[in-house]
């Protein structure tokens, strides 16, 4: 008998089917559930609602379902929601489901024809033959009316299609021929999204990329935006997406910092409905891949707008962080640290972005915990350090934080200490404390009523001073102490491996200090930060170079009284010059920094804050009958715009010598008022009249 070769179409279909089977990675669970439905196993679904964000692989999985069904001898009906069929058109396409029990109906892109959802649930599906399998795939989960109806229990299964794991992502990239040194970079950006992985693999191969610093360009980002996000209805919606991208979690209150209250309510409702947005207990946030794509696209479109929105976000979150109490503190710190994600190595980025919720429970130390803390410290510390630790445990137990597992077992602990003037015993018992205090006093960083703090011990024996999710709540607690501290002059961190943490210390603007105490034969490196010269607000403002007035981060010196008085006089003489005021040395003073709290730090803001402070000091002279004449002389000379001192004296109808005497005494008094305010902030009128 003469044999004819198989039709080319059949051979090609088989090759395509085999290729799809090889290319589908990490979906074994979904395939197993579908095969159980095909064979009618007990407990298997008849209707499956498969949902997930764009690019997650829903269509690829449906094509694999089709292959499986056809191999099982089933009749497959495919319906594409993008055609937006009417009920009548849908019924015509899927009519065999009402007559043939071996029919499989696969509905893709269901979000485009969601108007059919009620009809599908109430009219079409109840009439299909027993044995028919229906899979609905869309970006959003089914309406609550499906899952709240007990009649669908055991028949309907709702399945969210997850992203690929790092191992599965690496396997996909390997199959696409991506070089090993690039796989981690691509997998980190793609966040397990198969479409992003495939597009990035193709782009990397096209340009011959071969190093881990390669990043996707806009020609790659643009199609991903279309697939993952879709059209953006208006500029207001684009601003909302910028907030969603920059903030760790977004709330309606946060949106109100960049737009009107009514617009914030409108776009927040819109964001909640987007398939790439997750709802959490404290707000909403995008899928990781969507965050990365949005950030790249929005910054490419308008870097200035991106920075302006950032400068609206951070003052609000800083205000929330300063006011947070109890269980709200660590989440607020994580929101702030997310804004400060540095362009560092992957370890440091991981340290900042690691979730802490549910990892450990933070607790204060009780007297009965002392033995367990010392026993844990013995696993990592020498005898001298143990003795120093015991000193602090007994002296300042309120500065100890314990971290326990869900079972209550002690897992880690940290000790931070405060040092004030006259604390001689602490300086004698702890060489690290003595070194920090010596540095702070030698650099002139301390004033009356101020203190320094030292993050003295961070102990997690399983990963001692290395990046770890278990260390993350300690990092957040340290940040909370910086954010919420009052009268903090300097802070110091003492990592056991300074080289390992140096990049993170640079990011936190803590610089190594000269003092190197030895304990247990080991030299300790202290990293310090002067919070007067590198205030908290500048830490955030510097991300987009929005603060031209920031002093170099390594500066640890302060103005002397002579320098301070000179700066006050120069500022009054520069009253009408914004640029000169913004460059005045007083820009780093506490009295100006407090006036700037909660607002972006730019040239105009610094000049405005300094004018406010100087104006309040001048006005304070008017409140005391003994200094009213001084007030008139100063106000006429600097605030009221007299061209010369002679014209100011003429305006006041005073002999020039009398005017000069009032002016000199007034300037001296203003310098004294502001100096006292600098040492201990309080209302300027109080300083003037009762100081």
């Amino acid at each position: 008998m003469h044999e004819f070769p198989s039709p080319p179409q059949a051979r090609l279909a088989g090759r395509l089917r085999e290729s799809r089977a090889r290319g589908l990675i990490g979906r074994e669970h979904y395939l197993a559930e579908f095969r159980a439905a095909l064979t009618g196993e007990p407990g298997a679904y008849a209707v499956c609602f498969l949902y997930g964000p764009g690019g997650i692989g829903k269509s690829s999985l449906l094509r694999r379902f089709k292959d499986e069904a056809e191999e099982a001898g089933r009749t497959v009906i495919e319906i594409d929601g993008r055609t937006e069929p009417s009920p009548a058109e849908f019924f015509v396409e899927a009519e065999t489901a009402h007559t043939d029990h071996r029919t499989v109906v696969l509905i893709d892109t269901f979000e485009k024809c969601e108007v059919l959802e009620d009809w599908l649930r109430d009219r079409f599906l109840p009439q299909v033959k027993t044995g028919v399998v229906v899979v609905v795939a869309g970006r959003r989960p089914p309406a609550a009316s499906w899952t709240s109806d007990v009649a669908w229990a055991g028949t309907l299964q709702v399945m969210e299609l997850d992203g690929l794991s790092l191992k599965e992502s690496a396997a996909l990239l390997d199959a696409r021929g991506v070089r090993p040194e690039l796989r981690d970079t691509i997998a980190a950006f793609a966040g397990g999204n198969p479409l992003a992985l495939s597009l990035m693999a193709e782009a990397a191969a096209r340009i011959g990329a071969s190093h881990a610093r390669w990043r996707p360009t806009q020609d790659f980002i643009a199609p991903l935006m279309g697939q993952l996000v879709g059209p953006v209805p208006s500029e207001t919606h684009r601003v909302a997406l910028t907030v969603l991208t920059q903030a760790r979690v977004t709330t309606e209150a946060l949106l109100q910092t960049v737009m009107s209250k009514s617009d914030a309510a409108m776009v927040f409702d819109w964001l909640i409905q987007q398939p790439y947005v997750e709802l959490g207990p404290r707000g909403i946030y995008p899928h990781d891949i969507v965050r990365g794509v949005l950030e790249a696209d929005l910054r490419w479109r308008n870097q200035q707008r991106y920075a302006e929105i950032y400068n609206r976000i951070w003052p609000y979150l800083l205000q929330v962080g300063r006011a947070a109490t109890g269980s709200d503190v660590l989440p607020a710190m994580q929101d702030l640290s997310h804004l400060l994600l540095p362009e560092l190595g992957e370890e440091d980025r991981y340290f900042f972005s690691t979730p802490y919720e549910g990892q450990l429970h933070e607790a204060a130390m009780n007297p009965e915990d002392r033995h367990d803390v010392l026993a844990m410290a013995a696993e990592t510390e020498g005898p001298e350090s143990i003795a120093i630790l015991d000193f602090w445990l007994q002296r300042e137990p309120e500065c100890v934080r314990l971290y326990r597992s869900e079972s209550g077992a002690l897992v880690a602990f940290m000790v931070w200490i405060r040092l004030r003037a006259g604390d001689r015993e602490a300086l004698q018992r702890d060489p690290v404390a003595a070194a920090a205090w010596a540095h702070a006093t030698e650099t002139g960083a301390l004033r009356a009523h101020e203190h320094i703090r030292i993050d003295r011990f961070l102990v997690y024996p399983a990963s001692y001073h290395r990046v770890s999710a278990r260390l993350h709540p300690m990092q957040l607690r340290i940040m909370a102490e910086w954010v919420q501290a009052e009268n903090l002059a300097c802070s110091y961190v003492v990592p056991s491996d300074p080289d390992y943490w140096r990049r993170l210390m640079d990011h936190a603007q803590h610089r190594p200090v000269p003092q190197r105490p030895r304990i247990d034969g080991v030299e300790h490196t202290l990293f310090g930060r002067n919070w007067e010269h590198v205030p908290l607000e500048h830490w955030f403002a510097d991300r987009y170079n929005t603060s031209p007035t920031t002093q170099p981060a390594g500066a640890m010196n302060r103005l002397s009284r002579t320098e301070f008085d000179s700066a006050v006089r120069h500022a009054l003489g520069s009253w009408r010059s914004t640029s000169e005021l913004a460059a005045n040395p007083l820009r780093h003073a506490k009295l100006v920094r407090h006036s700037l709290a909660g607002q972006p730090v730019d040239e105009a803001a610094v000049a405005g804050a300094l004018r406010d402070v100087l104006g309040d000091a001048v006005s304070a002279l008017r409140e005391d009958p003994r200094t009213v004449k001084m007030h008139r002389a100063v106000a006429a000379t600097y605030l009221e715009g007299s061209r010369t001192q002679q014209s100011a004296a003429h305006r006041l109808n005073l002999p020039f010598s009398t005017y000069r005497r009032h002016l000199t005494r007034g300037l001296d008094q203003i310098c004294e008022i502001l100096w006292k305010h600098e040492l201990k902030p309080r209302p300027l009128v109080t300083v003037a009249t009762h100081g």
Side-chain angles (χ1 to χ4, degrees):
M1 178 183 293
H2 183 72
E3 286 187 34
F4 292 95
S6 301
Q9 296 92 335
R11 295 202 303 271
L12 181 58
R15 289 174 59 186
L16 291 174
R17 186 178 295 116
E18 291 174 3
S19 178
R20 284 194 292 265
R22 290 193 304 269
L24 192 69
I25 294 174
R27 302 309 192 195
E28 289 78 9
H29 167 69
Y30 303 96
L31 284 170
E33 293 285 342
F34 181 72
R35 289 165 183 156
L38 289 179
T39 58
E41 293 183 12
Y45 60 75
V47 178
C48 175
F49 213 111
L50 187 71
Y51 73 96
I56 204 67
K58 300 183 295 295
S59 297
S60 297
L61 186 57
L62 286 188
R63 285 192 290 270
R64 189 72 187 98
F65 284 175
K66 176 188 176 183
D67 294 340
E68 292 276 338
E70 289 178 340
E71 289 175 3
R74 295 290 199 117
T75 300
V76 178
I77 305 298
E78 296 179 272
I79 298 176
D80 190 340
R82 284 172 293 192
T83 64
E84 300 184 11
S86 66
E89 292 168 328
F90 190 104
F91 183 81
V92 169
E93 289 195 55
E95 182 180 6
T96 57
H98 286 178
T99 60
D100 183 358
H101 71 281
R102 296 187 59 76
T103 301
V104 172
V105 181
L106 304 177
I107 308 170
D108 198 6
T109 325
F110 188 66
E111 70 273 5
K112 296 294 185 180
C113 59
E114 285 179 331
V115 293
L116 297 180
E117 188 168 0
D118 291 345
W119 174 84
L120 184 70
R121 182 187 63 248
D122 299 333
R123 302 289 298 277
F124 180 81
L125 290 178
Q127 300 302 317
V128 302
K129 286 281 188 178
T130 300
V132 169
V133 176
V134 179
V135 179
V136 182
R139 294 194 174 191
R140 287 178 280 270
S145 50
W146 292 78
T147 53
S148 62
D149 187 346
V150 295
W152 283 100
T155 300
L156 170 71
Q157 184 167 346
V158 179
M159 303 176 71
E160 181 178 7
L161 192 59
D162 297 323
L164 302 181
S165 67
L166 287 176
K167 183 178 180 181
E168 292 164 347
S169 298
L172 186 151
L173 294 171
D174 181 41
R176 299 296 180 92
V178 175
R179 300 181 185 185
E181 63 269 23
L182 262 181
R183 290 173 194 164
D184 288 346
T185 300
I186 293 178
F189 181 89
N193 186 284
L195 175 64
L197 287 164
S198 299
L199 290 177
M200 290 186 75
E202 179 185 351
R206 185 174 67 249
I207 66 173
S210 61
H211 56 85
R213 290 187 177 275
W214 175 77
R215 291 293 184 271
T217 54
Q218 189 61 26
D219 61 345
F220 162 79
I221 294 296
L224 266 184
M225 275 288 293
Q227 289 281 349
L228 301 181
V229 178
V232 181
S234 71
E235 186 62 23
T236 301
H237 291 79
R238 198 179 302 280
V239 169
L241 288 175
T242 307
V243 176
L244 183 76
T245 300
Q246 297 195 34
R248 190 178 77 94
V249 293
T250 297
T251 63
E252 189 174 323
L254 179 59
L255 288 171
Q256 289 176 16
T257 66
V258 298
M259 61 184 66
S260 69
K261 189 173 182 180
S262 59
D263 283 346
M266 179 270 293
V267 294
F268 189 74
D269 289 340
W270 175 77
L271 286 172
I272 289 175
Q273 300 301 318
Q274 301 312 300
Y276 50 82
V277 170
E278 297 281 354
L279 278 64
R282 299 181 57 251
I284 60 176
Y285 55 93
H287 291 291
D288 288 344
I289 175 61
V290 174
R291 189 190 294 276
V293 169
L294 278 170
E295 179 182 18
D297 182 74
L298 294 168
R299 292 182 71 169
W300 173 79
R301 285 175 179 272
N302 194 330
Q303 171 71 22
Q304 182 178 354
R305 177 180 59 193
Y306 199 83
E308 287 172 353
I309 291 175
Y310 168 82
N311 283 328
R312 298 281 189 90
I313 292 174
W314 72 255
Y316 171 80
L317 293 181
L318 184 58
Q319 181 181 9
V320 171
R322 281 173 166 155
T325 58
S327 60
D328 292 331
V329 172
L330 297 191
M333 294 308 110
Q334 196 166 36
D335 292 345
L336 284 171
S337 68
H338 177 84
L339 287 181
L340 293 169
L341 279 175
E343 293 298 328
L344 299 175
E346 290 303 319
E347 282 190 336
D348 293 327
R349 291 181 64 85
Y350 170 80
F351 185 77
F352 269 87
S353 59
T354 299
Y356 79 90
E357 291 92 344
Q359 293 282 348
L360 294 174
H361 170 66
E362 186 184 66
M365 191 189 81
N366 296 316
E368 59 270 20
D369 297 319
R370 175 170 160 262
H371 174 78
D372 292 341
V373 171
L374 291 173
M376 176 172 284
E379 300 179 41
T380 60
E381 308 292 332
E384 290 182 47
S385 288
I386 296 294
I388 294 169
L389 171 62
D390 195 23
F391 166 75
W392 289 114
L393 294 182
Q394 296 184 66
R395 178 187 173 92
E396 295 192 27
E398 70 278 3
C399 293
V400 182
R401 291 289 186 273
L402 307 183
Y403 298 89
R404 299 186 180 278
S405 65
E406 292 183 2
S407 66
L410 181 64
V411 174
F413 71 88
M414 67 171 288
V415 180
W416 55 271
I417 59 178
R418 288 194 183 102
L419 285 179
R420 298 176 179 83
D423 204 346
R424 295 182 180 178
E425 183 183 10
L427 304 185
Q428 294 171 352
R429 298 289 294 271
D430 187 350
V432 166
W437 188 260
H439 179 264
T441 53
E442 288 172 10
T443 56
L446 277 167
R447 299 203 189 281
H449 312 293
E450 292 184 336
H451 67 277
I452 68 173
R453 60 152 297 164
I454 309 170
D455 295 297
R456 187 64 181 86
F457 293 94
L458 285 81
V459 177
Y460 172 47
S463 182
Y464 188 53
H465 276 241
R466 286 294 186 270
V467 168
S468 167
R470 298 301 179 105
L471 277 178
H472 194 51
M474 289 188 256
Q475 179 258 337
L476 296 175
R477 174 55 61 183
I478 290 171
M479 189 171 187
E481 297 301 331
W482 294 343
V483 168
Q484 298 186 337
E486 295 182 3
N487 298 319
L488 174 63
C490 298
S491 62
Y492 296 87
V493 181
V494 196
S496 61
D497 187 343
D499 290 335
Y500 180 83
W501 292 105
R502 192 174 299 273
R503 286 173 64 85
L504 186 60
M505 291 296 98
D506 284 344
H507 169 70
Q509 300 181 348
H510 281 65
R511 314 301 182 198
V513 306
Q515 291 80 358
R516 301 291 177 91
R518 296 185 69 85
I519 302 174
D520 291 311
V522 177
E523 185 177 81
H524 287 59
T525 299
L526 282 72
F527 291 82
R529 172 171 176 164
N530 183 327
W531 289 93
E532 179 67 19
H533 283 286
V534 196
L536 197 64
E537 290 79 4
H538 287 208
W539 196 12
F540 293 91
D542 281 352
R543 182 176 183 187
Y544 290 107
N545 298 318
T546 54
S547 175
T549 61
T550 303
Q551 187 165 328
M556 295 290 283
N557 296 317
R558 289 186 169 190
L559 296 176
S560 67
R561 176 61 193 270
T562 300
E563 293 168 331
F564 183 91
D565 289 358
S566 176
V568 170
R569 288 178 165 84
H570 188 271
L572 285 168
S574 308
W575 180 263
R576 299 185 182 279
S577 173
T578 296
S579 60
E580 288 189 33
L581 282 176
N584 190 283
L586 291 176
R587 66 189 183 272
H588 298 302
K590 242 182 216 175
L591 48 85
V592 174
R593 178 159 55 89
H594 287 176
S595 182
L596 281 169
Q599 61 176 299
V601 183
D602 56 20
E603 185 178 87
V606 173
L610 188 47
R611 284 193 187 100
D612 289 343
V613 169
L614 291 170
D616 288 345
V618 174
S619 296
L621 296 180
R622 188 173 50 198
E623 304 299 322
D624 189 338
R626 296 170 295 178
T627 57
V628 169
K629 294 179 180 179
M630 302 177 198
H631 166 266
R632 291 173 183 163
V634 173
T637 304
Y638 300 110
L639 277 59
E640 296 170 8
S642 297
R643 298 184 62 183
T644 64
Q645 291 189 0
Q646 286 80 2
S647 63
H650 180 73
R651 175 184 296 182
L652 295 172
N653 196 26
L654 291 175
F656 187 71
S657 60
T658 303
Y659 155 80
R660 284 285 300 167
R661 183 171 65 254
H662 292 168
L663 178 63
T664 300
R665 290 179 179 177
L667 289 174
D668 290 343
Q669 188 67 18
I670 288 172
C671 290
E672 183 66 20
I673 291 170
L674 292 176
W675 182 252
K676 289 180 179 179
H677 183 57
E678 176 74 359
L679 295 180
K680 187 176 182 181
R682 48 183 170 156
L684 288 172
V685 172
T686 302
V687 177
T689 57
H690 303 291

